[in-house]
Each structure stands twice: as structure tokens, then as C-alpha cells.
Coordinates of all heavy atoms in Angstrom, one line a residue:
M1 N 14.5 32.3 -20.7 CA 15.0 31.0 -20.1 C 15.0 31.1 -18.6 O 15.4 32.1 -18.0 CB 16.5 30.9 -20.6 CG 17.2 29.6 -20.1 SD 19.0 29.7 -20.4 CE 19.4 28.1 -20.0
N2 N 14.4 30.1 -18.0 CA 14.4 30.0 -16.6 C 15.6 29.1 -16.1 O 15.9 28.1 -16.7 CB 13.1 29.3 -16.1 CG 11.9 30.3 -16.2 OD1 12.1 31.5 -16.3 ND2 10.7 29.7 -16.2
Y3 N 16.3 29.6 -15.1 CA 17.5 29.0 -14.6 C 17.4 28.8 -13.1 O 16.9 29.8 -12.4 CB 18.7 29.8 -15.0 CG 20.0 29.1 -15.0 CD1 20.3 28.3 -16.1 CD2 20.9 29.1 -14.0 CE1 21.5 27.6 -16.2 CE2 22.0 28.4 -14.0 CZ 22.4 27.6 -15.1 OH 23.5 26.9 -15.1
P4 N 17.8 27.7 -12.5 CA 17.7 27.5 -11.1 C 18.6 28.4 -10.3 O 19.7 28.8 -10.8 CB 18.0 26.0 -10.8 CG 18.7 25.6 -12.1 CD 18.2 26.4 -13.2
K5 N 18.2 28.9 -9.1 CA 19.0 29.8 -8.3 C 20.2 29.1 -7.6 O 21.2 29.7 -7.3 CB 18.1 30.3 -7.1 CG 17.4 31.6 -7.6 CD 16.5 32.1 -6.4 CE 15.7 33.3 -6.9 NZ 14.6 33.6 -5.9
V6 N 20.0 27.8 -7.4 CA 21.1 27.0 -6.8 C 21.4 25.8 -7.7 O 20.5 25.1 -8.1 CB 20.7 26.5 -5.4 CG1 21.8 25.6 -4.8 CG2 20.5 27.7 -4.5
I7 N 22.7 25.6 -8.1 CA 23.0 24.4 -8.8 C 24.1 23.6 -8.1 O 25.0 24.2 -7.5 CB 23.4 24.6 -10.3 CG1 24.5 25.6 -10.4 CG2 22.2 25.1 -11.1 CD1 25.1 25.6 -11.8
K8 N 24.1 22.3 -8.3 CA 25.2 21.5 -7.7 C 26.3 21.3 -8.7 O 26.0 20.9 -9.9 CB 24.6 20.1 -7.3 CG 25.5 19.5 -6.2 CD 24.8 18.3 -5.5 CE 25.6 17.8 -4.4 NZ 25.2 16.6 -3.8
R9 N 27.5 21.8 -8.4 CA 28.5 21.9 -9.3 C 29.9 21.6 -8.6 O 30.0 21.9 -7.4 CB 28.5 23.3 -9.9 CG 29.5 23.5 -11.1 CD 29.3 25.0 -11.5 NE 30.4 25.4 -12.4 CZ 31.6 25.9 -12.0 NH1 31.8 26.1 -10.8 NH2 32.5 26.2 -12.9
Y10 N 30.9 21.2 -9.4 CA 32.2 20.9 -8.8 C 32.9 22.2 -8.5 O 33.0 23.1 -9.3 CB 33.0 20.1 -9.8 CG 34.4 19.7 -9.4 CD1 34.5 18.7 -8.4 CD2 35.5 20.4 -9.8 CE1 35.8 18.3 -8.0 CE2 36.8 20.0 -9.4 CZ 36.9 19.0 -8.5 OH 38.2 18.7 -8.1
C11 N 33.4 22.3 -7.3 CA 34.2 23.4 -6.9 C 35.7 23.0 -6.9 O 36.1 22.1 -6.2 CB 33.8 23.9 -5.5 SG 34.9 25.2 -4.8
P12 N 36.5 23.7 -7.8 CA 37.9 23.3 -7.9 C 38.7 23.6 -6.6 O 39.8 23.0 -6.4 CB 38.4 24.2 -9.0 CG 37.2 24.7 -9.7 CD 36.1 24.7 -8.7
K13 N 38.2 24.5 -5.8 CA 39.0 24.8 -4.6 C 38.7 23.8 -3.5 O 39.6 23.3 -2.8 CB 38.6 26.2 -4.1 CG 39.7 26.8 -3.2 CD 39.4 28.2 -2.7 CE 40.5 28.7 -1.8 NZ 40.0 29.8 -1.0
C14 N 37.4 23.5 -3.3 CA 37.0 22.5 -2.3 C 37.3 21.0 -2.8 O 37.2 20.1 -2.0 CB 35.5 22.6 -1.9 SG 35.1 24.3 -1.3
K15 N 37.4 20.9 -4.1 CA 37.7 19.6 -4.8 C 36.5 18.6 -4.5 O 36.7 17.4 -4.3 CB 39.0 19.0 -4.3 CG 40.2 19.8 -4.9 CD 41.5 19.1 -4.5 CE 42.6 19.9 -5.1 NZ 43.9 19.6 -4.5
K16 N 35.3 19.2 -4.5 CA 34.1 18.3 -4.4 C 32.9 19.1 -4.9 O 33.0 20.3 -5.2 CB 33.9 17.9 -3.0 CG 33.6 19.0 -2.0 CD 33.3 18.5 -0.6 CE 33.1 19.7 0.3 NZ 32.8 19.3 1.7
H17 N 31.8 18.4 -5.1 CA 30.6 19.1 -5.5 C 29.9 19.8 -4.4 O 29.8 19.3 -3.3 CB 29.6 18.0 -6.1 CG 29.8 17.7 -7.5 ND1 30.9 17.0 -8.0 CD2 29.1 18.1 -8.7 CE1 30.8 16.9 -9.3 NE2 29.8 17.6 -9.7
T18 N 29.5 21.0 -4.6 CA 28.8 21.8 -3.6 C 27.6 22.5 -4.3 O 27.5 22.7 -5.5 CB 29.7 22.9 -3.0 OG1 30.2 23.7 -4.1 CG2 30.8 22.4 -2.2
A19 N 26.6 22.9 -3.5 CA 25.4 23.5 -4.0 C 25.7 25.0 -4.1 O 25.7 25.7 -3.1 CB 24.2 23.3 -3.0
Q20 N 25.9 25.5 -5.3 CA 26.4 26.8 -5.5 C 25.3 27.8 -5.9 O 24.4 27.4 -6.7 CB 27.5 26.9 -6.6 CG 28.7 26.0 -6.1 CD 29.8 26.0 -7.1 OE1 29.9 26.8 -8.0 NE2 30.8 25.1 -6.9
K21 N 25.4 29.0 -5.4 CA 24.4 30.0 -5.6 C 24.7 30.7 -7.0 O 25.8 31.0 -7.3 CB 24.4 31.1 -4.5 CG 23.1 31.5 -4.0 CD 23.2 32.4 -2.8 CE 23.3 33.8 -3.3 NZ 23.6 34.8 -2.2
V22 N 23.6 30.9 -7.7 CA 23.8 31.5 -9.1 C 23.3 33.0 -9.0 O 22.3 33.3 -8.5 CB 22.9 30.7 -10.1 CG1 23.1 31.3 -11.5 CG2 23.3 29.2 -10.1
S23 N 24.1 33.8 -9.6 CA 23.7 35.2 -9.8 C 24.2 35.7 -11.1 O 25.0 35.1 -11.8 CB 24.2 36.1 -8.6 OG 25.6 36.0 -8.5
I24 N 23.7 36.8 -11.6 CA 24.0 37.4 -12.9 C 25.1 38.4 -12.7 O 25.0 39.3 -11.9 CB 22.8 38.0 -13.6 CG1 21.8 36.9 -13.9 CG2 23.2 38.6 -14.9 CD1 20.4 37.4 -14.3
Y25 N 26.2 38.2 -13.4 CA 27.4 39.2 -13.3 C 27.0 40.5 -14.0 O 26.4 40.6 -15.0 CB 28.6 38.6 -14.1 CG 29.7 39.6 -14.3 CD1 30.6 39.9 -13.3 CD2 29.8 40.2 -15.5 CE1 31.6 40.8 -13.5 CE2 30.8 41.1 -15.7 CZ 31.7 41.4 -14.7 OH 32.7 42.3 -14.9
K26 N 27.3 41.6 -13.2 CA 27.1 42.9 -13.8 C 28.5 43.7 -13.7 O 29.2 43.6 -12.7 CB 26.1 43.7 -12.9 CG 24.7 43.3 -13.3 CD 23.7 44.3 -12.8 CE 22.3 43.9 -13.1 NZ 21.7 43.1 -12.0
A27 N 28.8 44.4 -14.8 CA 30.1 45.1 -14.8 C 30.0 46.2 -13.8 O 29.0 46.8 -13.6 CB 30.3 45.7 -16.2
G28 N 31.2 46.5 -13.2 CA 31.3 47.5 -12.2 C 31.3 48.9 -12.8 O 31.3 49.1 -14.0
K29 N 31.2 49.9 -11.9 CA 31.1 51.3 -12.4 C 32.5 51.7 -12.9 O 33.5 51.4 -12.3 CB 30.8 52.2 -11.2 CG 30.2 53.6 -11.6 CD 29.8 54.4 -10.4 CE 29.7 55.8 -10.8 NZ 29.7 56.7 -9.6
R30 N 32.6 52.4 -14.1 CA 33.8 52.8 -14.7 C 34.4 54.0 -13.9 O 33.7 54.9 -13.6 CB 33.6 53.2 -16.1 CG 33.1 52.0 -17.0 CD 33.0 52.4 -18.4 NE 34.4 52.4 -19.0 CZ 35.0 51.4 -19.6 NH1 34.3 50.3 -19.8 NH2 36.2 51.5 -20.1
R31 N 35.7 53.9 -13.7 CA 36.4 55.0 -12.9 C 36.6 56.2 -13.9 O 37.3 56.0 -14.9 CB 37.7 54.6 -12.3 CG 37.5 53.6 -11.1 CD 38.8 53.0 -10.7 NE 39.5 52.3 -11.7 CZ 40.7 52.5 -12.1 NH1 41.4 53.5 -11.6 NH2 41.2 51.7 -13.0
A32 N 36.2 57.4 -13.6 CA 36.3 58.5 -14.5 C 37.8 59.0 -14.5 O 38.2 59.7 -15.5 CB 35.4 59.7 -14.0
S33 N 38.6 58.7 -13.5 CA 40.0 59.1 -13.5 C 40.9 58.2 -14.1 O 42.1 58.4 -14.2 CB 40.4 59.4 -12.1 OG 40.3 58.2 -11.3
A34 N 40.4 57.0 -14.7 CA 41.3 56.0 -15.3 C 41.9 56.7 -16.6 O 41.2 57.5 -17.2 CB 40.5 54.8 -15.6
I35 N 43.1 56.3 -17.0 CA 43.8 56.9 -18.1 C 43.0 56.8 -19.4 O 42.9 57.8 -20.2 CB 45.2 56.4 -18.2 CG1 46.0 57.2 -19.4 CG2 45.4 55.0 -18.4 CD1 46.2 58.6 -19.2
G36 N 42.4 55.7 -19.7 CA 41.6 55.4 -20.9 C 40.4 56.3 -20.9 O 40.1 56.9 -22.0
E37 N 39.7 56.5 -19.8 CA 38.5 57.4 -19.8 C 38.9 58.8 -20.0 O 38.2 59.5 -20.7 CB 37.8 57.2 -18.4 CG 37.2 55.9 -18.2 CD 35.9 55.7 -19.0 OE1 35.2 56.6 -19.2 OE2 35.7 54.5 -19.5
R38 N 40.0 59.2 -19.4 CA 40.5 60.6 -19.5 C 40.9 60.9 -21.0 O 40.6 62.0 -21.5 CB 41.7 60.9 -18.6 CG 41.3 61.2 -17.1 CD 42.5 61.5 -16.3 NE 43.2 60.3 -15.9 CZ 44.5 60.2 -15.7 NH1 45.2 61.3 -15.8 NH2 45.0 59.1 -15.3
R39 N 41.6 60.0 -21.6 CA 42.1 60.1 -22.9 C 40.9 60.2 -23.9 O 40.8 61.0 -24.8 CB 43.0 59.0 -23.3 CG 43.9 59.2 -24.5 CD 44.8 58.0 -24.7 NE 45.9 58.0 -23.7 CZ 46.4 56.9 -23.2 NH1 45.9 55.7 -23.6 NH2 47.4 56.9 -22.3
H40 N 39.9 59.3 -23.7 CA 38.7 59.3 -24.5 C 37.9 60.6 -24.4 O 37.5 61.2 -25.4 CB 37.8 58.1 -24.1 CG 36.6 57.9 -24.9 ND1 36.7 57.6 -26.3 CD2 35.3 58.1 -24.7 CE1 35.5 57.6 -26.8 NE2 34.6 57.8 -25.8
A41 N 37.8 61.1 -23.2 CA 37.1 62.4 -23.0 C 37.8 63.5 -23.7 O 37.2 64.4 -24.3 CB 37.0 62.7 -21.5
E42 N 39.2 63.5 -23.6 CA 40.0 64.5 -24.3 C 39.8 64.4 -25.8 O 39.7 65.5 -26.5 CB 41.5 64.3 -23.9 CG 42.4 65.5 -24.2 CD 42.0 66.8 -23.5 OE1 41.6 66.8 -22.3 OE2 42.2 67.8 -24.1
D43 N 39.8 63.2 -26.4 CA 39.7 63.0 -27.8 C 38.3 63.5 -28.3 O 38.2 64.0 -29.4 CB 39.8 61.5 -28.1 CG 41.2 61.0 -28.1 OD1 42.1 61.9 -28.1 OD2 41.4 59.8 -28.1
K44 N 37.3 63.3 -27.5 CA 35.9 63.7 -27.9 C 35.6 65.2 -27.8 O 34.6 65.7 -28.3 CB 34.9 62.9 -27.0 CG 34.7 61.5 -27.5 CD 33.4 60.9 -26.9 CE 32.2 61.4 -27.6 NZ 31.1 60.6 -27.5
K45 N 36.5 65.9 -27.2 CA 36.3 67.3 -26.9 C 36.4 68.1 -28.2 O 37.1 67.8 -29.1 CB 37.4 67.8 -26.0 CG 36.9 68.6 -24.8 CD 38.0 69.2 -24.1 CE 38.1 69.1 -22.7 NZ 39.4 69.6 -22.1
G46 N 35.6 69.2 -28.3 CA 35.8 70.2 -29.4 C 35.1 69.9 -30.7 O 34.4 68.9 -30.8
Y47 N 35.5 70.6 -31.7 CA 34.9 70.5 -33.0 C 35.3 69.2 -33.7 O 36.5 68.9 -33.7 CB 35.2 71.7 -33.9 CG 34.7 71.6 -35.3 CD1 33.3 71.8 -35.5 CD2 35.5 71.3 -36.4 CE1 32.8 71.7 -36.8 CE2 34.9 71.2 -37.7 CZ 33.6 71.4 -37.8 OH 33.1 71.3 -39.1
G48 N 34.4 68.3 -34.2 CA 34.8 67.1 -34.8 C 35.3 66.1 -33.8 O 36.2 65.2 -34.1
G49 N 34.7 66.1 -32.6 CA 35.2 65.3 -31.5 C 34.8 63.8 -31.6 O 35.5 63.0 -31.0
Q50 N 33.7 63.5 -32.3 CA 33.3 62.1 -32.4 C 34.2 61.4 -33.4 O 34.3 61.6 -34.5 CB 31.8 62.1 -32.9 CG 31.2 60.7 -32.9 CD 31.1 60.0 -31.6 OE1 30.8 60.6 -30.6 NE2 31.4 58.7 -31.5
K51 N 35.0 60.4 -32.8 CA 36.0 59.7 -33.6 C 35.5 58.7 -34.6 O 35.9 58.5 -35.7 CB 37.1 59.1 -32.7 CG 38.1 60.1 -32.2 CD 38.9 59.5 -31.1 CE 40.0 58.6 -31.6 NZ 40.7 58.0 -30.5
F52 N 34.4 58.0 -34.1 CA 33.8 56.9 -34.9 C 32.3 57.2 -35.0 O 31.7 57.8 -34.1 CB 34.0 55.6 -34.2 CG 35.4 55.3 -33.8 CD1 35.9 55.4 -32.5 CD2 36.3 54.9 -34.8 CE1 37.2 55.2 -32.2 CE2 37.6 54.6 -34.5 CZ 38.1 54.8 -33.2
P53 N 31.7 56.8 -36.2 CA 30.3 57.1 -36.3 C 29.5 56.3 -35.3 O 29.8 55.1 -35.0 CB 30.0 56.6 -37.7 CG 31.1 55.7 -38.1 CD 32.3 56.2 -37.4
K54 N 28.5 56.9 -34.7 CA 27.7 56.2 -33.7 C 26.9 55.1 -34.4 O 26.4 55.3 -35.5 CB 26.7 57.2 -33.0 CG 27.5 58.0 -32.0 CD 26.5 59.0 -31.3 CE 27.3 59.9 -30.3 NZ 26.5 61.0 -29.9
L55 N 26.7 54.0 -33.7 CA 26.0 52.9 -34.3 C 24.5 53.2 -34.4 O 23.8 53.5 -33.4 CB 26.1 51.6 -33.5 CG 27.4 50.8 -33.7 CD1 27.4 49.6 -32.8 CD2 27.5 50.3 -35.1
A56 N 24.0 53.3 -35.7 CA 22.6 53.6 -35.9 C 21.7 52.4 -35.6 O 20.7 52.4 -35.0 CB 22.4 54.1 -37.3
K57 N 22.3 51.2 -36.0 CA 21.5 49.9 -35.8 C 22.5 48.9 -35.3 O 23.4 48.5 -36.0 CB 20.9 49.5 -37.2 CG 19.9 48.4 -37.1 CD 19.4 48.1 -38.5 CE 19.2 46.6 -38.7 NZ 19.6 46.2 -40.0
P58 N 22.3 48.5 -34.1 CA 23.3 47.5 -33.5 C 23.2 46.1 -34.3 O 22.1 45.7 -34.7 CB 22.8 47.3 -32.1 CG 21.9 48.5 -31.8 CD 21.3 48.9 -33.1
A59 N 24.3 45.5 -34.4 CA 24.4 44.2 -35.2 C 23.7 43.1 -34.4 O 23.1 42.2 -35.0 CB 25.8 43.8 -35.5
K60 N 23.8 43.1 -33.1 CA 23.2 42.1 -32.2 C 21.9 42.5 -31.6 O 21.7 43.7 -31.2 CB 24.2 41.7 -31.1 CG 25.5 41.2 -31.7 CD 25.5 39.7 -32.0 CE 26.9 39.2 -32.3 NZ 27.4 39.6 -33.6
V61 N 21.0 41.6 -31.5 CA 19.7 41.9 -30.9 C 19.6 41.4 -29.4 O 18.7 41.8 -28.7 CB 18.5 41.3 -31.6 CG1 18.3 42.0 -33.0 CG2 18.6 39.8 -31.8
T62 N 20.6 40.6 -29.0 CA 20.7 40.1 -27.6 C 21.9 40.6 -26.9 O 22.9 41.0 -27.6 CB 20.6 38.6 -27.6 OG1 21.6 38.1 -28.5 CG2 19.3 38.1 -28.1
K63 N 21.9 40.5 -25.6 CA 23.1 40.8 -24.8 C 23.6 39.5 -24.2 O 22.8 38.6 -23.9 CB 22.8 41.8 -23.7 CG 22.7 43.2 -24.3 CD 23.3 44.2 -23.3 CE 23.7 45.5 -24.1 NZ 22.5 46.3 -24.3
K64 N 24.9 39.4 -23.9 CA 25.4 38.2 -23.3 C 25.1 38.2 -21.8 O 25.2 39.2 -21.1 CB 26.9 38.1 -23.5 CG 27.2 37.3 -24.8 CD 28.7 37.0 -24.9 CE 29.0 36.2 -26.1 NZ 30.4 35.9 -26.3
V65 N 24.7 37.0 -21.2 CA 24.5 36.9 -19.8 C 25.5 36.0 -19.2 O 25.7 34.9 -19.7 CB 23.1 36.3 -19.6 CG1 22.8 36.1 -18.1 CG2 22.0 37.2 -20.1
T66 N 26.3 36.5 -18.2 CA 27.3 35.7 -17.6 C 26.8 35.3 -16.2 O 26.4 36.2 -15.4 CB 28.6 36.5 -17.5 OG1 29.0 37.0 -18.7 CG2 29.7 35.7 -16.9
R67 N 26.8 34.0 -15.9 CA 26.3 33.6 -14.6 C 27.5 33.5 -13.7 O 28.6 33.1 -14.0 CB 25.7 32.2 -14.7 CG 24.4 32.1 -15.5 CD 24.2 30.8 -16.1 NE 25.2 30.6 -17.2 CZ 25.6 29.4 -17.6 NH1 25.0 28.3 -17.1 NH2 26.5 29.2 -18.5
M68 N 27.3 34.0 -12.4 CA 28.3 34.0 -11.4 C 27.9 33.0 -10.4 O 26.8 33.1 -9.8 CB 28.5 35.4 -10.8 CG 29.8 35.5 -10.1 SD 30.3 37.2 -9.9 CE 29.0 37.8 -8.9
L69 N 28.8 32.0 -10.1 CA 28.5 31.0 -9.1 C 29.3 31.2 -7.9 O 30.5 31.5 -8.0 CB 28.8 29.6 -9.7 CG 28.1 29.3 -11.1 CD1 28.8 28.2 -11.8 CD2 26.7 28.9 -10.8
T70 N 28.7 31.1 -6.7 CA 29.4 31.3 -5.5 C 29.3 30.0 -4.7 O 28.2 29.5 -4.4 CB 28.7 32.5 -4.7 OG1 28.5 33.6 -5.5 CG2 29.6 32.9 -3.5
C71 N 30.5 29.5 -4.3 CA 30.5 28.3 -3.4 C 30.2 28.7 -2.0 O 30.9 29.6 -1.5 CB 31.9 27.7 -3.6 SG 32.1 26.3 -2.5
P72 N 29.3 28.1 -1.3 CA 28.9 28.4 0.0 C 30.0 28.1 1.1 O 30.1 28.6 2.2 CB 27.6 27.7 0.3 CG 27.7 26.5 -0.6 CD 28.4 27.0 -1.8
E73 N 30.9 27.1 0.7 CA 31.9 26.6 1.7 C 33.1 27.4 1.7 O 33.6 27.8 2.7 CB 32.2 25.1 1.4 CG 31.0 24.3 1.8 CD 31.2 22.8 1.5 OE1 32.4 22.3 1.7 OE2 30.2 22.1 1.2
C74 N 33.7 27.8 0.5 CA 34.9 28.5 0.5 C 34.7 30.0 0.0 O 35.6 30.8 0.0 CB 35.9 27.9 -0.5 SG 35.4 27.8 -2.2
K75 N 33.4 30.3 -0.3 CA 33.0 31.7 -0.7 C 33.6 32.1 -2.0 O 33.6 33.3 -2.3 CB 33.2 32.7 0.4 CG 32.6 32.4 1.7 CD 31.1 32.8 1.8 CE 30.5 32.6 3.2 NZ 29.5 31.6 3.2
K76 N 34.3 31.2 -2.7 CA 34.9 31.6 -4.0 C 33.9 31.8 -5.1 O 32.9 31.1 -5.1 CB 35.9 30.5 -4.4 CG 36.9 31.0 -5.5 CD 38.0 30.1 -5.6 CE 38.8 30.3 -6.9 NZ 39.3 31.7 -7.0
K77 N 34.1 32.8 -5.9 CA 33.2 33.1 -7.0 C 33.7 32.6 -8.4 O 34.9 32.7 -8.6 CB 32.9 34.6 -7.1 CG 32.0 35.0 -6.0 CD 31.8 36.5 -5.9 CE 30.9 36.9 -4.8 NZ 30.9 38.3 -4.6
F78 N 32.9 32.0 -9.2 CA 33.3 31.5 -10.5 C 32.4 32.1 -11.6 O 31.2 32.2 -11.4 CB 33.2 30.0 -10.6 CG 33.9 29.3 -9.5 CD1 33.3 28.9 -8.3 CD2 35.3 29.0 -9.6 CE1 34.0 28.2 -7.3 CE2 36.0 28.3 -8.6 CZ 35.3 27.9 -7.5
N79 N 33.0 32.7 -12.6 CA 32.2 33.1 -13.7 C 32.2 32.0 -14.8 O 33.2 31.4 -15.0 CB 32.9 34.4 -14.4 CG 32.5 35.6 -13.6 OD1 31.5 35.7 -12.9 ND2 33.3 36.7 -13.8
T80 N 31.0 31.9 -15.4 CA 30.9 30.9 -16.5 C 30.9 31.7 -17.8 O 30.7 32.9 -17.8 CB 29.6 30.1 -16.3 OG1 28.5 30.9 -16.3 CG2 29.6 29.3 -15.0
Y81 N 31.0 31.0 -18.9 CA 31.0 31.6 -20.2 C 29.6 32.3 -20.4 O 28.6 31.9 -19.9 CB 31.3 30.6 -21.3 CG 30.3 29.4 -21.3 CD1 29.1 29.5 -22.1 CD2 30.5 28.3 -20.6 CE1 28.2 28.5 -22.1 CE2 29.6 27.2 -20.6 CZ 28.5 27.4 -21.3 OH 27.6 26.3 -21.3
G82 N 29.6 33.4 -21.2 CA 28.4 34.1 -21.4 C 27.5 33.4 -22.5 O 28.0 32.8 -23.4
I83 N 26.2 33.5 -22.3 CA 25.3 33.0 -23.3 C 24.4 34.1 -23.8 O 24.0 34.9 -23.1 CB 24.4 31.8 -22.7 CG1 23.9 32.2 -21.4 CG2 25.2 30.5 -22.7 CD1 22.8 31.2 -20.9
R84 N 24.2 34.1 -25.2 CA 23.3 35.1 -25.8 C 21.9 34.7 -25.6 O 21.5 33.6 -26.1 CB 23.7 35.2 -27.3 CG 24.9 36.0 -27.5 CD 25.0 36.6 -28.8 NE 26.2 37.5 -28.9 CZ 26.2 38.7 -28.5 NH1 25.2 39.3 -28.0 NH2 27.4 39.4 -28.5
I85 N 21.1 35.5 -25.0 CA 19.7 35.1 -24.7 C 18.9 36.4 -24.5 O 19.4 37.4 -24.0 CB 19.6 34.2 -23.5 CG1 18.3 33.5 -23.5 CG2 19.9 34.8 -22.2 CD1 18.4 32.1 -22.9
K86 N 17.7 36.4 -25.0 CA 16.8 37.6 -24.8 C 16.4 37.8 -23.4 O 16.3 38.9 -22.9 CB 15.6 37.5 -25.8 CG 16.0 38.1 -27.2 CD 14.7 38.2 -28.0 CE 15.1 38.8 -29.4 NZ 14.0 38.7 -30.3
K87 N 15.9 36.7 -22.8 CA 15.4 36.8 -21.4 C 16.0 35.7 -20.6 O 16.0 34.6 -20.9 CB 13.9 36.7 -21.5 CG 13.1 37.1 -20.3 CD 11.6 37.0 -20.5 CE 10.9 37.2 -19.2 NZ 9.5 36.8 -19.4
F88 N 16.5 36.1 -19.4 CA 17.2 35.2 -18.5 C 16.6 35.5 -17.1 O 16.7 36.5 -16.6 CB 18.7 35.4 -18.5 CG 19.4 34.4 -17.7 CD1 19.8 33.2 -18.3 CD2 19.8 34.6 -16.4 CE1 20.5 32.2 -17.6 CE2 20.5 33.7 -15.7 CZ 20.8 32.5 -16.3
E89 N 16.0 34.4 -16.5 CA 15.4 34.6 -15.2 C 15.9 33.5 -14.3 O 16.0 32.3 -14.6 CB 13.9 34.5 -15.3 CG 13.2 35.9 -15.4 CD 11.7 35.7 -15.4 OE1 11.2 35.4 -16.5 OE2 11.0 35.9 -14.4
L90 N 16.1 33.9 -13.0 CA 16.5 32.9 -12.0 C 15.3 32.5 -11.2 O 14.5 33.4 -10.7 CB 17.5 33.5 -11.0 CG 18.9 33.8 -11.6 CD1 19.8 34.6 -10.7 CD2 19.6 32.5 -12.0
V91 N 15.0 31.2 -11.2 CA 13.8 30.7 -10.5 C 14.2 29.7 -9.4 O 15.3 29.0 -9.6 CB 12.8 30.1 -11.5 CG1 12.2 31.2 -12.3 CG2 13.4 29.0 -12.3
A92 N 13.5 29.6 -8.4 CA 13.7 28.6 -7.4 C 13.3 27.2 -8.0 O 12.3 27.1 -8.6 CB 12.9 28.9 -6.1
A93 N 14.2 26.3 -7.8 CA 13.9 24.9 -8.4 C 14.2 23.9 -7.3 O 15.1 24.0 -6.5 CB 14.8 24.7 -9.6
Ligands
ZN1 ZN1 34.3 25.7 -2.6

């Protein structure tokens, strides 16, 4: 799917339509010292450490793509709902 790099959309902060920049949202790096990460590492340690069977065949063939829109006037970022798609490209339109 080809998607334009800039779309005109309503900004709830500016309360008007602005030409917003589109980018693809990427999850940030996981912190190794977070309690959940430490607990998971502790659970996986030693004999019989794998708690759940590893997925041999994933149920889904696509990944969700979340578009992030940035308003040029107030610099606020908006995430839109994710769409399942095999190929997502940003093109100049
Ligand atoms: Zn704005």
C-alpha cells in the first residue's frame, strides 16, 4: 500500500486542519532493568526454563502498521489505529 507522506487532517490541539507529516511508529528499546524483564529472565533461567512452548507457526502472516502524525504547528504527535498490511510505503503525493 502506498500512503502519502503529508496528509491534511484535523488537529484537536490547534482546532483546525493542518498538513500533518506521516511516519511509521516503532516501539522503543526495552529496558533490561525493568521489573518485568528481570522477572522474565529469572523465570527462564535453569533447567526447564522455557515457560511456554515457542510458536512454531505464527497465527498471523502480517504485522500491524501504526501511522504517527505530527502537526507542524503545535508539534503534537498523534497515533492512529493499526492496520494489518503486508507492505506499507510512504510516497510523496
Ligand atoms: Zn496542531
Side-chain angles (χ1 to χ4, degrees):
M1 181 192 187
N2 286 342
Y3 202 82
K5 273 181 187 167
V6 176
I7 57 166
K8 203 164 186 190
R9 186 181 169 270
Y10 181 75
C11 174
K13 203 182 176 195
C14 303
K15 289 181 178 165
K16 62 176 180 182
H17 274 74
T18 52
Q20 298 181 15
K21 224 175 88 184
V22 183
S23 54
I24 297 166
Y25 166 81
K26 280 196 183 92
K29 201 179 163 198
R30 298 186 73 93
R31 289 174 298 124
S33 60
I35 183 64
E37 291 287 324
R38 279 183 280 153
R39 199 176 286 145
H40 184 63
E42 194 61 36
D43 283 346
K44 278 196 78 158
K45 230 193 228 172
Y47 179 71
Q50 184 64 39
K51 282 168 78 183
F52 308 102
K54 282 179 182 167
L55 276 180
K57 190 176 139 221
K60 302 272 189 286
V61 292
T62 53
K63 284 222 159 78
K64 272 191 177 177
V65 175
T66 306
R67 291 153 295 159
M68 195 158 66
L69 304 159
T70 313
C71 175
E73 287 178 36
C74 61
K75 304 276 184 245
K76 194 167 167 58
K77 286 173 180 171
F78 305 94
N79 278 338
T80 60
Y81 57 90
I83 44 170
R84 284 206 174 272
I85 198 149
K86 272 190 178 170
K87 196 177 168 190
F88 187 85
E89 262 182 284
L90 290 172
V91 291

